[in-house]
Amino acid sequence: MQPEPPEPFSFAKWVDEIIANPSEAATPQQGLDAYYTFVNSTTSSDHVFPETASSKMHKRLTCNQLYGGEAPIPDAVECINYLARLNTQKCEVYQGSSHVSFRTHGNAEMVGIRPDRYGASTICNNVARAGGFVMDACSRADNTVQGQALTPDDAMIAVHIIKKGRGPTGP
């Protein structure tokens, strides 16, 4: 008899747990451990998460659009954790600018982009949620991630997870 496989791990679900109950939610290291346990016990075809598998999410999410822009997964997790714990604090792409760096950690950066220069704001929880969607859909076997997802509200901010310095805020 084979042992039971571990529970599927979803970064999007982890973000929701931080937002709902920050003192009880898994730490970034605990989240990474759960992710690695799940990934190492399954085949790649098992890594489709309900949060990102819907056609609605695929229309709002893309992966690996910038050559050499992959960020280390552990650094991206720290960025997401920080933003999720800001709760309802405002994260804003300022009017007159098309992008802003929301958070950097190590070699990862989370950047917010608007297609216009009118600016927009949302709560930082929504930026973290978009980061969770990217992590679920775009995490790679080489322990890196790169992608972008729109915030799950009307702000229409594209949240990119990229290697620090490789996005619109870098050289």
Side-chain angles (χ1 to χ4, degrees):
M1 183 185 276
Q2 292 184 352
E4 286 290 314
E7 282 287 314
F9 179 80
S10 164
F11 286 106
K13 183 179 175 189
W14 173 66
V15 168
D16 285 339
E17 289 168 0
I18 293 170
I19 293 166
N21 194 350
S23 64
E24 299 287 322
T27 66
Q29 187 58 56
Q30 291 168 329
L32 282 169
D33 291 346
Y35 167 73
Y36 292 134
T37 298
F38 172 64
V39 168
N40 291 330
S41 68
T42 60
T43 63
S44 62
S45 63
D46 295 331
H47 297 183
V48 177
F49 301 98
E51 292 85 353
T52 54
S54 73
S55 60
K56 181 177 180 182
M57 273 311 305
H58 282 295
K59 291 177 185 175
R60 298 173 59 99
L61 191 145
T62 58
C63 300
N64 303 316
Q65 67 272 33
L66 178 64
Y67 178 76
E70 298 82 13
I73 287 174
D75 293 348
V77 166
E78 290 289 347
C79 290
I80 292 167
N81 178 63
Y82 173 83
L83 291 163
R85 291 177 187 277
L86 291 178
N87 296 315
T88 58
Q89 183 173 320
K90 184 167 55 170
C91 282
E92 184 172 10
V93 177
Y94 303 103
Q95 187 170 353
S97 175
S98 62
H99 61 274
V100 67
S101 178
F102 287 127
R103 181 70 175 170
T104 61
H105 182 88
N107 282 317
E109 183 171 19
M110 288 183 66
V111 177
I113 298 178
R114 286 277 304 176
D116 55 42
R117 295 194 175 266
Y118 295 117
S121 66
T122 187
I123 58 173
C124 293
N125 284 169
N126 286 334
V127 174
R129 283 184 176 109
F133 297 145
V134 171
M135 296 294 292
D136 281 348
C138 303
S139 292
R140 298 164 31 130
D142 65 357
N143 204 33
T144 63
V145 62
Q146 183 204 149
Q148 65 96 28
L150 293 175
T151 55
D153 60 6
D154 293 332
M156 298 300 289
I157 296 172
V159 176
H160 291 247
I161 297 177
I162 54 173
K163 183 177 182 179
K164 184 178 173 182
R166 288 288 294 145
T169 60

